[in-house]
Structure formats: C-alpha cells, structure tokens
Amino acid sequence: MSHSLRRSDCLTLIGPGQTTYRGGDQEWYPDVWQRRAGCGPTCAAALLSYLGHTRPALAPLRPLAGQTRTGFLQYMKDLWTYVTPGSRGLDKPESLLVGCRSFALSKGCRLTGEILKIPARPEGRPTLAHCRDFLARALDADCPTAFLNYSNGALQNLDSWHWVPLISMTRGEELPEADPVLLCSILDGGEEKLIDLALWLATTTLGGALVSLAPAAPER
C-alpha cells in the first residue's frame, strides 16, 4: 500500500532556463558553512512551504517569491535564523521541530509536531512496523515529514548526518525468507530519490529520527 503527500508538485521549483528542481539544495547557500551544514534548514523550508501551499490558514508560510529557485533560496536563508545548525550541524530532532514552530509563530501560524526517535542501539529502536505506522499516519494526513539519519548504513544514495524531506512510502512485497522492503521517496540536492527505509533501519550504526509537522488545533 502506498502513502504520499497529495500535492508534492508544490515542492517543484523552477530555476534558470526552466530547469526544475525537487525541493531545495543546501549547495545553493552562499556561505561555505551554510552549504556544509544547511541540510536542516533546507529540509525545514520544504516542510513549511508545503504546509503553506496546502492549508489556506497557513498561507503566510508560503515563500514570498513563489516556486522559484531564487525565491526558495531566500526562504532557506530566512529559515536559517530559526533552524540554526550548531558546530555538529542540526543534530537534534527537537531543534528542527522547535525552529519550525517558532518560524511559523513569527508568521502568525501555529504548528504542532511529532518525533519518533531511532536510537543507535538496535535493541532500543522502534520496529519497522512502528516506523511504517508513523509515516503512514503523517502522510495520510497530508503532513510533511523530515528524516534525520546520523549513519546511512547500507544506503549508497544517502549521506550520513543528513536531513531530508520524506514525501511518500510504499510497502514492498513481503516474501517468505526475504528481507522486508519499505521504499520511501525523499528530496535531496534538488532531486527526488528512492531509498529503502527497512534496509536503513537494519544497517544504520547511529540511528536518527522522523519528525512530522501538522497544523495545530484551533484555540477555543
């Protein structure tokens, strides 16, 4: 069964010469340190932009210059002030959640969120089914999700110590005596990529986290 954001096209950006990008790219930052450590605010920009495009009440979260590379880069710069990497980058899932909520409040919007931590020690980790349920619940509610991995394990198309937006999930066919498969689409470096979250969970040495964002319930 597949689960996905309903309007992931909102995260397609137009660059010079009508070049298209899927989400932002930390390499667009002008500063060397920002390019090195900017995956967190780049990921946050995708999550917040999506909420702004898909919820009328959260429209103030939309990038002011629309779905262009130039406009999204400015949005990434604005996010840096709230989702600010430290000497080890943005290494805590709470930092992303708090930063996103603070940015939203600065625009008059209220957000909530949920964190699923995936510890380094295998015996302390949530099961694959738990991770799958977390993602299915978020994606079915059309809520964008961030994936933090400290170690990429056996995934060759994903950097370690890295944040990426996760936009869809498909449960692979489970065959007897075969390893489970959980295919997820992520946005990374301006491209859409496919990773096997089941393989990552089984092989990562340092773990990571999943973080979902959603509109807060109206105040009574």
Side-chain angles (χ1 to χ4, degrees):
M1 184 175 180
S2 297
H3 309 266
S4 64
L5 296 179
R6 296 169 199 158
R7 293 186 55 201
S8 70
D9 58 295
C10 292
L11 298 174
T12 297
L13 310 173
I14 306 300
Q18 296 302 299
T19 302
T20 59
Y21 303 91
R22 291 291 279 149
D25 185 348
Q26 69 192 80
E27 291 296 327
W28 297 346
Y29 277 116
D31 179 77
V32 173
W33 170 243
Q34 289 179 315
R35 292 196 295 271
R36 182 178 177 184
C39 59
T42 301
C43 178
L47 270 61
L48 291 166
S49 174
Y50 185 81
L51 288 172
H53 277 100
T54 57
R55 271 77 169 183
L58 300 180
L61 296 182
R62 294 184 184 183
L64 295 178
Q67 292 170 256
T68 65
R69 170 175 166 163
T70 300
F72 202 79
L73 172 56
Q74 183 57 55
Y75 195 59
M76 288 161 51
K77 291 178 181 178
D78 295 341
L79 258 297
W80 184 278
T81 305
Y82 294 86
V83 185
T84 310
S87 60
R88 288 160 50 90
L90 196 77
D91 61 344
K92 292 182 174 60
E94 294 86 356
S95 298
L96 183 106
L97 180 55
V98 170
C100 286
R101 295 183 70 185
S102 297
F103 178 82
L105 283 174
S106 76
K107 303 293 183 180
C109 302
R110 295 176 63 249
L111 300 179
T112 186
E114 188 177 355
I115 295 173
L116 178 63
K117 292 186 177 181
I118 303 169
R121 295 173 63 88
E123 60 271 22
R125 292 177 189 167
T127 64
L128 179 61
H130 193 168
C131 295
R132 184 177 62 238
D133 291 347
F134 179 94
L135 289 172
R137 193 165 59 249
L139 293 169
D140 288 349
D142 203 28
C143 294
T145 302
F147 172 38
L148 167 64
N149 92 95
Y150 298 122
S151 157
N152 63 358
L155 297 187
Q156 298 302 310
N157 62 339
L158 181 67
D159 293 333
S160 295
W161 216 265
H162 197 42
W163 284 97
V164 291
L166 192 153
I167 62 171
S168 73
M169 175 188 71
T170 301
R171 182 175 180 175
E173 184 179 0
E174 295 187 3
L175 302 175
E177 300 182 1
D179 293 332
V181 174
L182 192 63
L183 299 178
C184 296
S185 294
I186 61 170
L187 305 183
D188 189 18
E191 300 178 357
E192 185 168 335
K193 300 178 180 179
L194 195 65
I195 62 169
D196 182 355
L197 195 67
L199 179 61
W200 175 83
L201 188 65
T203 60
T204 181
T205 57
L206 297 175
L210 297 168
V211 182
S212 65
L213 281 181
E219 293 182 331
R220 296 181 177 179

